[in-house]
Structures are given as structure tokens and as C-alpha cells.
């Protein structure tokens, strides 16, 4: 070993010039490589601003709020479709102008000279006026989810409210048949007797009988009227009336939820659960209400006692269905809705007219088909990551 | 090959300068690259919040338009109207810079919206002003409200864009800062690398320049220690070091040659000195012996001269001649005490000596000469022939008892000058000859009249003079057959030839001998 070393040493020592020459070459090469790297380094960093695609048209989407995943989903659908058509869609309330109302945002959009507006409208006069102003500026307006029939909007994209109501009605009847039929409620009745004082009777009353009809509550927002709640409610009512068994007593009621303030929805839903008579079935007509009711049922330990019919297929809702807290939910094909919006605007630009109504598909998600949505959700999560 | 020789012939100055230039160039290039990079980066850092500044100005300009409109509505002065028009124009110019394309970048679309909204707003303002000027109160109120609302929306939009841009720019700023930091560390590494490569290059080049110098220094040290037996250094390049190496090589060669030469000449000088010393020693020895043996020659010489004059005055010619010869003999002894004499001198001495002997011993010695006169001027040590002749007379002829015969010959033999002295005496045995030649023979008792110079002294001086061992040969054919002593001298050119006077003297001597 030692010998070898000394032999090596001798070899090196015998020709130090070769060694130094080698080192010189290596160092010079390294320096040049370094220099090239440095050049490349700032050359590449100076070219980071790449050319961006230029789009033909620019649409703007305006929604009531920008928190619910339903809007995000619709926007994504619209955006996807728009990019295919070389159009760009901005969601005005996405991260700017959070304090601005839909009407304000409409004015901004009109002033910004966009090529088309997608707005969640209502039947308000002010809205009609704004839509008409936009039409005057030759900006086509598509109403989304909520319509403004009086205005000069070019098209409406939404859900058939009556059909939705019909679905809800049938679901409510299903719940009654599956769960509530045969259930009875024990009431303690107090009778005042002069002799014996207060007497307490226990009476078992069947749910659905005339004394104790099934209570079905439809939760409506008192301020914002996204869906055509009236049509929807009548759809529910009509379905129940038509399809219920004759001896089944069903009592429909509207639960008005205060949505005027920022966090009032949750508060007013809690208030409902504080009351004595809690409905057997609660039908929620938007995502937030569904989530709040679901949380309240869990918190007040009313699982099994209160049946929820939800709206939209957010992950929370899907999970709740999987656990059996929410009986079923109605999922709208949001991507389809977004796509319809873009198609309507494009068509209007091309032809000058377009179909007045676009109706998005709805799907029912229940315990028996929740699996596939769970998987989808998981997949979606993964793809998000 | 040409390139090679070209490379070899570059000067040291050029080499060293090019190393400096090369390394500095490397440093400079890298520094320039880094500087450009830093400049670029800081420039972009400066530009980050440019958008926000622009938007702030836009917002201010919008406010000015609104204020001016309100002022005009309030007071309806021409000044405020002018102000309004000016500010409106300013605002329009600024708005014109905004993007109007629909792109995927949110800011671009927002700018487009602001641009359109501003147009919308300005139109409302214009209508308001028009209505005011037309004193249409109802109309301008409506337009004013609309304009104010649009102002609020536009301002809000600009503020929003500003905020968004600020957020994005802040991110970009921190990103740029990160890049800047990265660039810093990269630069540091680059500089370190350059340093390392420069060190390597310098070591490499200086090594190549210094290594022949090192070799030169090593060789010079060796030479300084006195070792001239070193290998000549190879001349690797034709720069100054190469020149010095070449010069050193030839210097080493010349020095060693010179030293060799000095050594040789010193050797020769030493030998010469040694010989001279020896010769001097022998001569002194001879003289001492002579002085011991003889009476004061000066006194004798003067006495004899007086005798000769007396004889001449009395008319005794033969006496006069005899005394004259004796005087000549002693004069020679005295005068020719110098080291070197000519053969002629020596022969004259022998002549005188034999004359004296013949007078003394009543002419019983016959003397004959065979002289090559051209050789008479050849030099030889003095007091050589006389002792030989003396030996011939004392040992050869006197012991024989009969009529003696001495023959002197001078001749050429194989490029040497040969002086032969031959007698017809008793001769010498081989052993005696050997003893005489080797110098071990000693006479027990010196014969009377001998000047005391022995054969060994003669031989030694002859050897020292010629530098050769073979200077004398003694030949004898046996008892009563005589002895011949031959002396050998080297002939020199300058010594050939002889003056006429010398010749005459010799002839005269011959005559005298004949008369005697």
C-alpha cells in the first residue's frame, strides 16, 4: 500500500508540469462554463415575461357572492368554454370589488366596455334598468341562475325551477315513505282536574295523521332571490299534493332565512332549531343554507329526526350524505351552465340573437349513488394538488 | 516546426508580460460579465415598482380631473375650465399608455378596463361640463352624479390594480432579490474559479520559465564547488535564460580547458625549475670540488701570465707558449664557469689540456681530431670533455705504459651531435662501464692533476642539459683495446654554423699539435 503511494507520488512528482497543465485547463474550462452560466442566468431571467395570447372578446361574470363553490364551478365551466372560443371571461367579484353590489359591478362592467356580461339577476327594476343600459351600449347580457324577464337580456341560463321543485317534492315523499311512515310521536298532555290537580296523559300520535301532519319546510332567503323560489315552492307543493297518499297529512311551510347581513344566515338557521317545533323535512335551496342546516342538525343532535334535502354537491354536502345526515341533494351541472353562458353570448355576437332559455341538467345524489361523487371529489382533490 | 521555433524564440519579457495580460484579461472578462449581470439586475430591481408609481400618477391625475370639474361646477370660472381641459388632456395622455388588448394576464385586462372606464368617465364629465355651460341644471346634475359614480368606480379600479400590482411586484421583488443573492454566490464562485485558474496559469508559466534557471543555478553551484565535470545544460528556449544557459555552457567549457592548460604549463614549469635546481646543485658541487682540488686559479693565472711575459722577454718562445697554454687552460676553467659553452670552447680546452700534458709528460700522447666544423657552435655544458679526456689519460694511457693515442671526433649521427673521445689505453671491463654509467663507481684516490670532476657528475649534467637519459655511451672492446666515450647532444638550428675565427683557431691548434 505504502509502496503504491510512493510510486504514485513519484509519478506525480516526475511530471508536475502535466499536472499543473491539467489543472489549468480544468480551471479555465470551469471559468468559461461559469461565465456562460452567468450569462444564461440573467438572459433567462430577463425573458421571463413571455408573450401572452391575445383574445378576441372579453366577457365579465358578475355574481351575488364569490364564496360559494357553485359560482366558482360555473366560472370554471365558462372559462374553459371561453378559452376554446378564444374569449376571456373575468369574474369581476373574484378577488376585487368584494364590497360592491351586483348593480355596482354591472355599472363597472358596462363602463369597462366588455363584450358581454353574465350576471345573476333578479326581477328588480334597478336590475332591469342596468341590463337595458348595457343593451344600449350594445353589450349583450346573459342572466344566470336568476332571471330578469322584463329587461333586454339576450338569454337566461338556469335551472328549471318547477322541475327542481318537482324533484324536491318527490324526494320529500320518498323520505316520508321510507322513514316517517309508521313513526309516531309521544305527546305528554296536561289536564287540569279540580280534584286530582294536574294530570299528565301520554299520547302516541302517528306522524302523518291529521293531528300530527308531516312538516315539510322550504328554506327561502328573505332578500336575495337567486332561484325562482315561488315557482320552486309551488312545484314542491303541487308534487306533494298530487302524489301523496290520501290519508297522509302534510304541512308545507316556508322558513324565511335572513340573508341581509353578512353572517345572518347561519344565525337565523340556528334560531329555527331553538324553537320547539322543528320540521321533519327541511328543503334547502342553496349551498350555504344546506351546509348551515347540516351543521345545526349535528350540533343539536337531531340526526334522524330532521331530514335534509340539500342543494349543490360540495364536498361537505357529499360527505354528509355519505354519513346519512343529509338525505339527498340536487346537483346542478355547473360546468354546463358556464358553457351555456358563453355559448349564448357567442351566438348572440355571431347571429344577433340566441335562445331565450338554457336549462342546465340536474342530478340527484343520494346514499346509494354517493360513492361515485365521493370518488370524483377525491379525484378532484388530487388533481387540485 | 516553424511554430515551435517561433515559440522558442520569444523573449522572457514577452513571456512574463503575456502571463500578466492573460490572467488580467481573464479577470477582466469575468468581471465585465458579472458587472453587466449586476447592472442588469439592479436595473430590473429599480423598475419593479415603476408600475405602481405610474398608477399612483394616474390616480392623482384622475383626482385632478374630478376636482377641476367640481370646481367648475361650483364657481364656473374660466380658470377652472382651463384647468379642467388641461387636466383632462393630461389624463387622456396617461390613459392612452394603458394596455388595450385582451390577454391572459389579469393586469393587462384590468388596464384595458381602466382605459375604457376612463373614457366612459371622461365622456360623462364632458357632458356634465357641456350641460353646465348650457345651464341645463337638471341634465348636469344627472351627469355629475353619474360621473362621480364612475370616478369612484375608476378610482377604486385603479387602486385595486395598484394593490394587486404591488402584491405581485413585491413577490417579484423578493424573487429578484433571491436571484440577486444567487447571482452573488455564483459570482463569488466564478471569481474564486478565476483566481484558482490564474494561480494555476501563473504557476504553470512561471514554472516553465524558472525551471531552466533552477537547473542553471544548480549547475552554477556545482561549478562554484569546483566540479567542472558536469553535463552541459540543454538550451530549452531562446529567451534570455536560454542565452545565459548557452553562455554558461561555453564558460564552463572554456574554464575547464583553461584550467587544464594552466595545470599543464605549471607542470612543465615545475619540471624545468626542478631541473634547473638540480643542475645548479651539480654545478655548485663541481665548482666546490674544483676549488677544493685546485689552487686559486686567479692567482695561478696571474702568476702564469707573469711567467709567460718573463719567458717572452727572455726569448724563450716554447716556454712562453707552454706557460700561455697553461694560463689559457686555467682561464677557461675560470672564465667558462658559466653553465653553457660551445663545443668549440670545450675542444679548445681539451687542446690546451693535452698540450700541457704532452709538455709535462714529454709528448707521449698522440692527439687527433676529426671535426665536423658545422657543429662547433652547438652548445653544451661546460667542463664535460676535459674530465673525460683526463680519465682517458689517467686510467687508459698512463696505466698502459706505452705510447698513448687520443682521438676526438665530432660528427652527425641520426640527427644528434656526437662527440667521441677514444683512447688506446687499457680499456674497461663491462662491469666498470656499468658502474660508471650508473654512477656507483668511485675512484678511491683521485689522480694528481685531476680537477676532481667525476664521470658521474659529467653524466648527470649532460642528462639534465639534454633532458634525455641517453647522453653517453662507453665502449670498450676489452683489455688493452682502448675505450671510446661517446657523448650525444641534440642539435639546434641556431647552433649550426661557426665563425671563421673559430675555425682558424682550430686549425691552428691542429698545427700546434702537429709541431708538438
Amino acid at each position: 500500500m505504502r509502496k503504491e503511494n510512493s510510486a504514485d507520488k513519484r509519478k506525480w512528482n516526475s511530471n508536475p508540469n502535466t499536472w499543473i497543465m491539467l489543472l489549468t485547463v480544468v480551471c479555465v474550462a470551469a471559468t468559461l462554463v461559469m461565465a456562460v452560466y452567468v450569462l444564461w442566468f440573467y438572459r433567462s431571467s430577463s425573458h421571463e415575461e413571455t408573450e401572452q395570447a391575445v383574445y378576441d372578446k372579453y366577457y365579465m361574470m358578475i355574481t351575488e357572492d364569490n364564496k360559494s363553490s357553485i359560482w366558482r364551478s360555473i366560472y370554471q365551466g365558462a372559462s374553459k368554454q371561453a378559452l376554446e372560443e378564444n374569449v376571456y371571461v373575468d369574474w369581476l367579484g373574484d378577488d376585487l370589488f368584494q364590497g360592491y353590489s351586483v348593480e355596482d359591478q354591472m355599472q363597472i362592467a358596462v363602463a369597462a366596455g366588455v363584450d358581454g356580461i353574465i350576471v345573476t339577476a333578479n326581477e328588480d327594476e334597478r336590475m332591469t334598468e342596468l341590463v337595458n343600459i348595457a343593451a344600449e351600449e350594445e353589450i349583450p347580457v346573459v342572466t344566470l341562475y336568476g332571471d330578469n324577464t322584463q329587461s333586454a337580456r339576450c338569454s337566461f341560463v338556469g335551472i328549471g325551477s318547477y322541475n327542481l321543485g318537482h324533484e324536491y317534492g318527490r324526494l320529500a315523499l320518498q323520505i316520508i315513505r321510507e322513514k316517517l311512515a309508521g313513526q309516531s310521536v309521544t305527546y305528554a298532555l296536561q289536564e287540569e282536574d279540580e280534584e286530582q290537580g294536574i294530570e299528565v296523559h301520554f299520547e302516541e300520535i302517528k306522524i302523518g295523521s291529521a293531528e300530527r301532519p308531516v312538516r315539510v319546510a322550504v328554506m327561502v332567503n328573505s332578500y336575495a332571490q337567486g332561484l325562482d323560489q315561488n315557482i320552486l315552492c309551488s312545484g314542491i307543493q303541487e308534487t306533494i299534493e298530487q302524489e301523496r297518499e290520501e290519508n297522509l297529512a302534510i304541512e308545507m311551510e316556508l322558513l324565511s332565512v335572513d340573508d341581509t347581513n353578512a353572517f345572518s344566515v347561519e344565525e337565523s338557521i340556528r334560531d329555527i332549531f331553538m324553537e320547539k317545533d322543528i320540521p321533519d323535512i327541511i328543503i334547502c335551496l342553496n349551498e350555504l343554507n344546506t351546509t348551515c342546516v347540516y351543521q345545526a342538525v349535528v350540533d343539536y343532535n337531531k340526526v334522524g329526526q330532521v331530514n335534509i334535502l340539500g342543494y349543490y354537491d360540495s364536498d361537505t354536502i357529499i360527505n354528509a350524505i355519505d354519513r346519512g345526515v343529509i338525505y339527498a341533494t340536487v346537483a346542478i351541472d355547473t360546468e354546463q351552465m358556464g358553457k351555456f353562458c358563453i355559448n349564448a353570448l357567442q351566438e348572440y355576437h355571431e347571429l344577433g340573437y340566441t335562445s331565450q332559455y338554457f336549462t342546465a341538467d340536474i342530478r340527484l345524489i343520494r346514499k346509494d349513488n354517493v360513492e361515485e361523487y365521493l370518488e370524483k371529489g377525491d379525484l378532484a382533490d388530487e388533481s387540485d394538488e | 516546426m516553424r511554430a515551435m521555433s517561433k515559440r522558442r524564440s520569444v523573449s522572457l519579457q514577452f513571456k512574463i508580460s503575456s502571463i500578466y495580460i492573460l490572467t488580467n484579461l481573464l479577470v477582466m472578462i469575468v468581471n465585465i460579465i458579472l458587472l453587466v449581470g449586476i447592472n442588469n439586475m439592479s436595473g430590473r430591481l429599480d423598475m419593479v415598482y415603476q408600475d405602481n408609481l405610474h398608477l399612483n400618477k394616474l390616480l392623482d391625475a384622475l383626482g385632478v380631473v374630478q376636482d377641476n370639474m367640481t370646481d367648475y361646477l361650483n364657481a364656473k370660472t374660466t380658470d377652472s375650465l382651463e384647468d379642467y381641459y388641461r387636466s383632462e388632456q393630461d389624463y387622456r395622455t396617461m390613459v392612452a399608455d394603458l394596455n388595450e388588448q385582451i390577454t391572459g394576464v389579469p393586469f393587462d385586462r384590468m388596464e384595458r378596463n381602466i382605459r375604457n372606464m376612463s373614457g366612459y368617465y371622461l365622456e360623462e364629465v364632458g357632458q356634465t361640463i357641456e350641460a353646465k355651460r348650457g345651464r341645463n341644471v337638471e341634465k348636469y346634475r344627472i351627469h355629475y352624479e353619474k360621473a362621480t359614480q364612475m370616478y369612484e368606480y375608476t378610482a377604486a379600479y385603479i387602486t385595486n390594480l395598484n394593490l394587486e400590482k404591488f402584491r405581485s411586484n413585491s413577490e417579484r421583488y423578493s424573487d429578484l432579490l433571491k436571484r440577486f443573492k444567487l447571482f452573488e454566490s455564483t459570482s463569488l464562485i466564478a471569481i474564486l474559479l478565476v483566481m484558482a485558474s490564474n494561480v494555476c496559469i501563473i504557476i504553470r508559466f512561471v514554472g516553465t520559465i524558472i525551471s531552466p534557471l533552477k537547473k542553471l543555478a544548480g549547475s552554477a553551484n556545482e561549478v562554484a564547488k569546483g566540479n567542472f565535470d558536469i553535463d552541459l545544460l540543454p538550451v530549452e528556449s531562446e529567451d534570455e535564460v536560454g542565452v545565459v544557459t548557452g553562455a554558461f555552457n561555453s564558460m564552463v567549457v572554456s574554464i575547464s580547458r583553461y584550467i587544464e592548460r594552466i595545470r599543464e604549463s605549471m607542470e612543465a614549469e615545475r619540471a624545468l625549475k626542478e631541473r634547473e635546481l638540480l643542475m645548479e646543485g651539480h654545478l655548485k658541487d663541481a665548482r666546490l670540488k674544483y676549488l677544493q682540488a685546485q689552487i686559486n686559479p686567479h692567482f695561478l693565472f696571474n702568476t702564469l701570465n707573469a711567467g709567460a711575459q718573463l719567458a717572452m722577454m727572455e726569448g724563450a718562445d716554447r716556454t712562453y707558449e707552454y706557460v700561455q697554454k697553461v694560463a689559457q687552460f686555467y682561464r677557461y676553467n675560470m672564465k667558462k664557469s658559466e653553465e653553457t659553452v660551445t663545443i668549440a670552447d670545450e675542444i679548445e680546452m681539451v687542446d690546451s689540456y693535452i698540450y700541457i700534458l704532452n709538455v709535462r709528460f714529454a709528448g707521449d700522447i698522440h692527439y687527433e681530431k676529426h671535426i665536423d666544423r658545422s657543429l662547433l657552435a652547438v652548445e653544451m655544458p661546460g667542463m664535460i670533455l676535459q674530465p673525460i679526456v683526463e680519465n682517458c689519460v689517467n686510467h687508459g694511457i698512463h696505466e698502459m705504459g706505452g705510447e698513448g693515442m687520443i682521438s676526438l671526433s665530432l660528427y652527425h649521427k641520426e640527427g644528434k651531435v656526437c662527440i667521441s673521445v677514444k683512447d688506446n689505453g687499457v680499456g674497461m671491463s663491462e662491469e666498470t662501464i656499468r658502474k660508471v654509467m650508473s654512477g656507483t663507481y668511485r675512484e678511491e684516490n683521485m689522480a694528481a692533476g685531476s680537477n676532481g670532476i667525476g664521470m658521474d657528475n659529467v653524466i648527470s649534467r649532460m642528462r639534465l642539459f639534454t633532458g634525455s637519459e641517453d647522453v653517453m655511451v662507453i665502449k670498450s672492446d676489452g683489455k688493452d683495446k682502448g675505450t671510446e666515450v661517446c657523448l650525444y647532444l641534440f642539435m639546434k638550428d641556431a647552433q649550426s654554423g661557426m665563425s671563421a675565427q673559430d675555425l682558424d683557431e682550430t686549425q691552428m691548434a691542429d698545427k700546434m699539435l702537429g709541431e708538438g
Side-chain angles (χ1 to χ4, degrees):
Chain A
M1 189 68 198
R2 215 177 209 184
K3 247 183 190 174
E4 238 171 63
N5 273 347
S6 67
D8 278 354
K9 227 177 194 176
R10 221 179 300 144
K11 201 171 148 196
W12 282 119
N13 284 345
S14 69
N15 215 342
N17 269 355
T18 319
W19 183 74
I20 292 170
M21 192 72 183
L22 204 74
L23 203 68
T24 311
V25 168
V26 166
C27 283
V28 169
T31 311
L32 289 179
V33 166
M34 205 74 197
V36 168
Y37 168 73
V38 167
L39 273 177
W40 168 84
F41 180 78
Y42 76 81
R43 184 59 51 85
S44 72
S45 60
S46 67
H47 283 286
E48 60 196 353
E49 287 137 13
T50 48
E51 279 293 308
Q52 283 288 340
V54 176
Y55 298 93
D56 294 338
K57 289 197 174 65
Y58 181 44
Y59 298 155
M60 210 170 255
M61 184 171 130
I62 298 162
T63 55
E64 280 167 2
D65 73 307
N66 47 28
K67 300 238 172 39
S68 305
S69 58
I70 181 167
W71 304 123
R72 194 161 295 279
S73 177
I74 290 171
Y75 173 69
Q76 276 165 3
S79 194
K80 203 168 133 192
Q81 178 67 17
L83 290 179
E84 278 175 25
E85 308 256 354
N86 200 27
V87 170
Y88 205 94
V89 186
D90 256 341
W91 187 8
L92 191 57
D94 195 1
D95 30 44
L96 302 170
F97 304 102
Q98 290 194 2
Y100 285 77
S101 67
V102 174
E103 286 78 13
D104 289 335
Q105 291 183 38
M106 271 292 280
Q107 288 190 60
I108 290 170
V110 170
V114 295
D115 298 309
I117 298 172
I118 301 160
V119 62
T120 52
N122 47 45
E123 294 292 357
D124 202 62
E125 271 181 34
R126 173 78 181 138
M127 181 55 80
T128 313
E129 192 189 326
L130 285 169
V131 172
N132 288 342
I133 289 172
E136 274 170 33
E137 300 276 341
E138 292 181 351
I139 300 170
V141 179
V142 171
T143 50
L144 171 70
Y145 211 67
D147 200 3
N148 188 307
T149 44
Q150 304 300 311
S151 68
R153 57 121 175 103
C154 70
S155 183
F156 166 68
V157 177
I159 311 150
S161 294
Y162 185 81
N163 281 346
L164 191 60
H166 184 66
E167 283 297 328
Y168 273 128
R170 285 174 67 183
L171 282 169
L173 285 174
Q174 253 176 25
I175 292 168
I176 294 165
R177 281 173 203 138
E178 279 176 25
K179 294 189 168 178
L180 303 176
Q183 276 191 24
S184 52
V185 183
T186 308
Y187 284 99
L189 297 174
Q190 289 179 3
E191 275 183 24
E192 270 184 43
D193 202 309
E194 282 176 12
E195 292 170 10
Q196 294 169 346
I198 298 167
E199 215 174 284
V200 180
H201 294 280
F202 290 98
E203 201 176 342
E204 208 171 72
I205 303 166
K206 215 178 168 189
I207 295 173
S209 61
E211 292 87 20
R212 168 65 172 85
V214 178
R215 289 202 202 98
V216 177
V218 179
M219 201 166 270
V220 293
N221 282 359
S222 60
Y223 174 70
Q225 292 136 21
L227 284 167
D228 201 336
Q229 290 178 355
N230 295 335
I231 296 173
L232 202 138
C233 286
S234 63
I236 295 169
Q237 202 144 20
E238 274 175 35
T239 309
I240 290 173
E241 283 301 319
Q242 282 167 13
E243 296 189 8
R244 73 182 169 105
E245 287 81 11
E246 287 205 0
N247 57 351
L248 189 66
I250 296 173
E251 195 180 86
M252 282 277 291
E253 58 179 324
L254 288 178
L255 285 176
S256 185
V257 174
D258 177 21
D259 63 339
T260 46
N261 296 319
F263 309 109
S264 57
V265 172
E266 200 266 338
E267 296 296 335
S268 62
I269 287 174
R270 296 262 157 174
D271 289 343
I272 295 167
F273 281 86
M274 304 289 271
E275 284 168 16
K276 197 178 175 188
D277 288 335
I278 301 167
D280 299 315
I281 299 166
I282 299 176
I283 299 172
C284 305
L285 300 185
N286 66 28
E287 188 195 343
L288 181 63
N289 290 1
T290 312
T291 313
C292 289
V293 170
Y294 155 67
Q295 198 57 50
V297 165
V298 172
D299 289 350
Y300 290 98
N301 202 17
K302 301 286 182 193
V303 181
Q305 198 180 331
V306 177
N307 298 287
I308 308 165
L309 288 176
Y311 185 81
Y312 196 59
D313 55 349
S314 72
D315 286 348
T316 320
I317 295 170
I318 297 281
N319 284 330
I321 291 171
D322 190 40
R323 284 178 205 146
V325 182
I326 295 175
Y327 179 76
T329 188
V330 174
I332 317 147
D333 195 338
T334 45
E335 273 195 28
Q336 196 188 33
M337 284 181 92
K339 196 174 161 184
F340 283 155
C341 295
I342 301 300
N343 285 347
L345 287 169
Q346 287 293 93
E347 205 170 72
Y348 186 84
H349 275 294
E350 270 173 42
L351 308 172
Y353 59 86
T354 182
S355 173
Q356 289 275 312
Y357 291 98
F358 287 93
T359 313
D361 296 340
I362 52 171
R363 298 182 310 271
L364 284 179
I365 302 171
R366 300 197 302 187
K367 182 100 177 165
D368 49 3
N369 66 351
V370 77
E371 277 303 313
E372 55 183 289
Y373 292 95
L374 275 175
E375 281 164 19
K376 236 194 252 174
D378 290 344
L379 281 176
D381 286 346
E382 275 165 27
S383 67
D384 280 350
E385 281 164 14
Chain B
M1 195 66 204
R2 190 180 289 172
M4 184 88 173
S5 67
K6 207 174 178 185
R7 189 186 68 82
R8 281 164 60 104
S9 66
V10 293
S11 73
L12 203 60
Q13 187 188 3
F14 180 80
K15 278 182 184 173
I16 292 170
S17 311
S18 38
I19 294 167
Y20 274 99
I21 291 166
L22 183 72
T23 49
N24 280 331
L25 211 66
L26 212 65
V27 170
M28 200 184 74
I29 288 170
V30 170
N31 272 341
I32 285 173
I33 290 170
L34 297 184
L35 264 179
V36 169
I38 287 168
N39 199 27
N40 182 291
M41 287 238 158
S42 60
R44 274 195 291 147
L45 274 181
D46 287 345
M47 290 303 288
V48 162
Y49 291 109
Q50 207 65 26
D51 292 344
N52 293 104
L53 286 176
H54 186 73
L55 285 176
N56 284 343
K57 280 183 192 158
L58 191 69
L59 195 60
D60 291 346
L62 180 68
V64 172
V65 173
Q66 179 71 11
D67 289 349
N68 286 333
M69 177 190 74
T70 316
D71 278 355
Y72 181 70
L73 294 184
N74 277 339
K76 210 181 172 182
T77 59
T78 39
D79 282 353
S80 58
L81 189 65
E82 269 174 28
D83 285 348
Y84 158 73
Y85 281 130
R86 202 180 304 123
S87 60
E88 190 229 5
Q89 197 50 48
D90 288 349
Y91 187 63
R92 268 191 205 283
T93 321
M94 289 176 90
V95 164
D97 291 339
L98 294 174
N99 169 62
E100 58 177 339
Q101 280 184 325
I102 308 156
T103 70
V105 182
F107 299 141
D108 286 351
R109 297 195 303 275
M110 287 175 89
E111 278 189 15
R112 175 190 179 276
N113 290 347
I114 289 169
R115 189 189 167 99
N116 289 340
M117 283 166 80
S118 301
Y120 199 89
Y121 163 72
L122 288 176
E123 202 177 306
E124 285 294 336
V125 173
Q127 283 179 3
T128 312
I129 298 288
E130 280 304 311
K132 176 76 181 175
R133 289 175 86 178
R135 305 199 61 177
N136 190 337
V137 180
E138 194 67 29
K139 204 175 167 190
Y140 89 66
R141 282 236 171 100
I142 293 170
H143 281 303
Y144 173 72
E145 269 170 29
K146 274 189 181 177
T148 307
Q149 201 169 26
M150 279 324 297
Y151 164 73
E152 277 166 16
Y153 291 152
T154 312
Y157 218 124
I158 292 172
T159 311
N160 267 324
L161 178 59
N162 209 349
L163 272 175
E164 284 297 306
K165 280 215 165 178
F166 183 75
R167 191 187 297 164
S168 132
N169 286 342
S170 301
E171 276 167 20
R172 210 164 130 232
Y173 187 80
S174 63
D175 182 53
L176 272 177
L177 267 185
K178 262 185 221 159
R179 277 171 178 275
F180 207 86
K181 287 268 184 294
L182 189 67
F183 191 84
E184 254 179 13
S185 44
T186 316
S187 309
L188 192 72
I189 294 170
I191 286 169
L192 285 179
L193 268 177
V194 170
M195 226 170 72
S197 35
N198 280 354
V199 166
C200 288
I201 289 170
I202 288 169
I203 289 175
R204 162 94 185 93
F205 278 87
V206 169
T208 50
I209 292 168
I210 293 299
S211 75
L213 269 178
K214 274 186 185 167
K215 283 181 198 161
L216 189 61
S219 297
N221 258 337
E222 282 293 306
V223 170
K225 282 177 196 163
N227 176 18
F228 284 88
D229 193 20
I230 49 163
D231 291 336
L232 289 185
L233 294 170
V235 180
E236 282 168 357
S237 58
E238 281 174 24
D239 56 12
E240 288 80 350
V241 178
V243 171
V244 170
T245 311
F248 178 78
N249 281 344
S250 34
M251 189 186 80
V252 167
V253 170
S254 339
I255 287 178
S256 56
R257 257 189 220 152
Y258 187 63
I259 285 175
E260 185 62 28
R261 218 178 294 157
I262 286 176
R263 203 172 57 79
E264 275 171 13
S265 70
M266 272 172 77
E267 194 80 18
E269 205 174 317
R270 193 182 56 77
L272 206 66
K273 263 241 167 90
E274 207 169 81
R275 212 178 67 183
E276 266 174 19
L277 279 172
L278 261 176
M279 222 161 189
E280 213 172 307
H282 282 293
L283 191 69
K284 274 183 182 161
D285 188 35
R287 259 197 220 141
L288 191 66
K289 282 182 177 162
Y290 171 79
L291 287 172
Q292 279 175 343
Q294 306 295 338
I295 56 165
N296 189 341
H298 285 279
F299 175 74
L300 197 63
F301 173 67
N302 292 338
T303 315
L304 285 173
N305 263 354
Q309 280 165 12
L310 190 63
M312 197 175 68
M313 279 192 297
E314 284 176 353
D317 288 349
R318 287 180 60 193
T319 310
Y320 165 74
E321 195 179 354
Y322 173 74
V323 174
Q324 195 68 31
K325 287 277 181 196
V326 172
Q328 200 175 14
F329 178 76
Y330 284 109
R331 190 191 297 135
Y332 181 81
N333 263 348
M334 202 179 70
K335 206 171 75 184
K336 303 294 177 186
S337 58
E338 299 101 55
E339 197 180 352
T340 315
V341 296
T342 60
I343 295 176
D345 290 337
E346 278 288 290
I347 291 175
E348 196 182 345
M349 168 78 166
V350 172
D351 292 349
S352 303
Y353 181 65
I354 291 179
Y355 177 84
I356 292 165
L357 285 183
N358 276 342
V359 172
R360 206 174 124 198
F361 298 111
D364 59 348
I365 298 168
H366 292 271
Y367 173 54
E368 63 178 38
K369 293 193 284 184
H370 308 277
I371 307 292
D372 183 346
R373 286 176 196 282
S374 64
L375 301 174
L376 284 173
V378 174
E379 286 184 340
M380 65 178 291
M383 306 296 281
I384 296 289
L385 289 183
Q386 191 269 330
I388 295 172
V389 173
E390 195 183 305
N391 274 321
C392 289
V393 174
N394 288 348
H395 299 291
I397 295 167
H398 285 176
E399 284 174 18
M400 179 186 73
E403 206 165 88
M405 174 74 188
I406 294 205
S407 170
L408 180 74
S409 311
L410 175 64
Y411 54 91
H412 270 293
K413 193 184 180 184
E414 294 161 1
K416 290 176 185 171
V417 177
C418 187
I419 305 167
S420 163
V421 179
K422 199 173 176 182
D423 67 69
N424 60 341
V426 289
M428 287 172 84
S429 66
E430 285 292 318
E431 201 189 337
T432 321
I433 292 173
R434 199 175 46 75
K435 276 185 179 169
V436 169
M437 288 307 290
S438 63
T440 50
Y441 183 81
R442 288 255 170 260
E443 286 173 89
E444 276 75 35
N445 43 355
M446 267 194 188
S450 161
N451 64 4
I453 299 170
M455 284 305 282
D456 56 335
N457 184 283
V458 170
I459 292 169
S460 295
R461 282 196 292 132
M462 277 300 284
R463 281 181 179 159
L464 281 172
F465 182 80
T466 56
S468 168
E469 289 293 304
D470 306 322
V471 286
M472 182 189 272
V473 176
I474 301 173
K475 296 176 202 164
S476 179
D477 293 339
K479 195 153 166 73
D480 299 331
K481 288 198 176 160
T483 309
E484 184 182 7
V485 177
C486 289
L487 292 171
Y488 296 104
L489 285 166
F490 295 103
M491 195 162 75
K492 289 173 192 167
D493 294 339
Q495 292 167 345
S496 60
M498 197 181 164
S499 67
Q501 205 184 339
D502 287 342
L503 273 174
D504 292 345
E505 276 179 17
T506 324
Q507 280 165 349
M508 269 169 68
D510 286 347
K511 266 184 194 168
M512 267 162 52
L513 198 75
E515 285 164 13

